[in-house]
Amino acid sequence: MLLEVDKVEVAFGGGIGGGPRKLALRGVSLGLPAGRPSILAVVGESGSGKTTLTRLLLGLLQPTAGVVRYGGREVAAMDAAARAGFRREVQAVFQDPFGAFNPFYPVDRMLLLPARRFGLADSRAAARALAEAALTQVGLRPAETLGRYPHQLSGGQRQRLMVARALMLRPRVLVADEPVSMVDASLRATILQNLFDLHAQHGISLLYVTHDLATAYQVADRIAVMRHGEVVEEGDAEAVIHAPRHPYTRALVAAVPPPDPTVSWGLEDGLEGEAPA
Ligand SMILES: Nc1ncnc2c1ncn2[C@@H]1O[C@H](COP(=O)(O)OP(=O)(O)OP(=O)(O)O)[C@@H](O)[C@H]1O
Ligand SMILES: [Mg+2]
């Protein structure tokens, strides 16, 4: 596996003042395969453990039990050099990216610093050109974005900034937690297309967390369905949508509205047939 969690458990609370102990993940094994780059969508209701899973995969949280591995190596046991490689190669787009920004610096830093540090640009001008191209790709105007502080941007603009950063850095793996949750419908399709192009053109593997089964089906090779901290079903996207095995997955599929005929989602082949009478 390229990036995986292996029988991980995450417990919150239970300490002094921590409230009752709660298992956010219970025995979850999931991953992106090595070899051919792929897209794994993780869907599930609010509180099912999706963000907790992404924080584990990014090395931001330690599991209470089980192991997180990148390239077959346990992330927690990596030496400094391996960890630097992991940090460079596995990038994130967060659900609510406010916490990912340093409030004291203009947002330029988020793009310009890694461009220089990771050797993508050998001059300030080259870094700026890369940043401007990436911003334009996600529908942000460089002149109206560079020079601003995080709080001067909307949630959707911050989210797009993170996608722009990912476009620019071209990681091996992108972990995207609700990457378009704060963006309106018209932009959503464009940004998802950006992410898909990153995968298709640059061989980036993507873990895509979403509430939205329709876009999961649209972009993913495989879909994992989470509920109450467990993976209740995982498989080929086609199979999970058209022949769901778990009752919860069946309920999710049945709840997807019929496709809007004015929007091409590639869903014309029968999702509406699964809707309840
Ligand atoms: N730092 C924390 N301390 C205590 N409990 C937490 C913490 N983070 C998450 N939880 C709990 O763990 C469970 C899983 O949360 P998580 O954020 O992973 O859900 P999610 O699937 O991402 O939900 P959403 O779709 O709303 O983003 C929830 O019950 C949540 O309240
Ligand atoms: Mg979440």
Side-chain angles (χ1 to χ4, degrees):
M1 286 286 199
L2 179 58
L3 179 63
E4 65 175 330
V5 293
D6 187 1
K7 301 191 195 74
V8 290
E9 188 182 290
V10 171
F12 288 117
I16 297 165
R21 193 174 132 97
K22 184 191 156 68
L23 277 182
L25 292 179
R26 22 182 120 221
V28 171
S29 299
L30 264 187
L32 292 161
R36 204 176 70 84
S38 63
I39 300 183
L40 170 66
V42 177
V43 302
E45 66 199 5
S46 185
S48 57
K50 303 180 301 297
T51 294
T52 305
L53 173 71
T54 64
R55 293 182 61 214
L56 281 179
L57 288 168
L58 291 163
L60 301 174
L61 179 72
Q62 294 301 318
T64 316
V67 185
V68 185
R69 291 190 201 88
Y70 177 61
R73 298 177 67 174
E74 185 174 351
V75 172
M78 281 180 175
D79 59 25
R83 186 160 275 274
F86 171 73
R87 290 252 173 274
R88 155 89 178 84
E89 289 165 23
V90 182
Q91 294 289 333
V93 177
F94 293 110
Q95 180 172 24
D96 172 11
F98 202 54
F101 293 81
N102 186 325
F104 301 113
Y105 292 103
V107 297
D108 315 27
R109 245 172 93 95
M110 266 199 76
L111 300 171
L112 300 181
L113 219 59
R116 299 297 299 275
R117 185 187 296 150
F118 295 140
L120 303 171
D122 51 14
S123 69
R124 284 180 78 114
R128 199 176 165 94
L130 274 180
E132 290 185 355
L135 289 170
T136 306
Q137 251 181 301
V138 298
L140 290 171
R141 291 204 184 89
E144 292 170 17
T145 311
L146 296 173
R148 293 220 187 170
Y149 288 84
H151 70 270
Q152 295 175 319
L153 298 175
S154 72
Q157 288 171 331
R158 284 194 293 267
Q159 221 164 28
R160 280 186 275 162
L161 200 64
M162 287 209 83
V163 174
R165 185 174 188 271
L167 288 170
M168 211 182 76
L169 294 182
R170 302 220 176 126
R172 270 185 85 186
V173 182
L174 188 64
V175 176
D177 186 4
E178 301 276 6
V180 291
S181 59
M182 297 183 177
V183 173
D184 58 66
S186 58
L187 262 174
R188 205 168 288 174
T190 310
I191 293 177
L192 284 173
Q193 189 66 46
N194 287 155
L195 290 176
F196 188 81
D197 291 347
L198 261 184
H199 158 74
Q201 292 165 13
H202 303 290
I204 293 167
S205 287
L206 179 65
L207 188 119
Y208 169 52
V209 171
T210 181
H211 282 109
D212 181 7
L213 206 56
T215 61
Y217 176 68
Q218 183 201 4
V219 301
D221 303 296
R222 298 180 71 78
I223 296 179
V225 181
M226 293 191 65
R227 193 182 193 202
H228 302 327
E230 287 177 315
V231 174
V232 296
E233 179 156 2
E234 200 237 330
D236 197 70
E238 224 30 70
V240 169
I241 299 300
H242 293 295
R245 293 188 310 268
H246 195 277
Y248 178 65
T249 314
R250 274 185 226 134
L252 279 183
V253 171
V256 173
D260 179 340
T262 63
V263 180
S264 171
W265 278 127
L267 285 176
E268 290 76 13
D269 50 351
L271 246 198
E272 64 271 53
E274 312 263 45

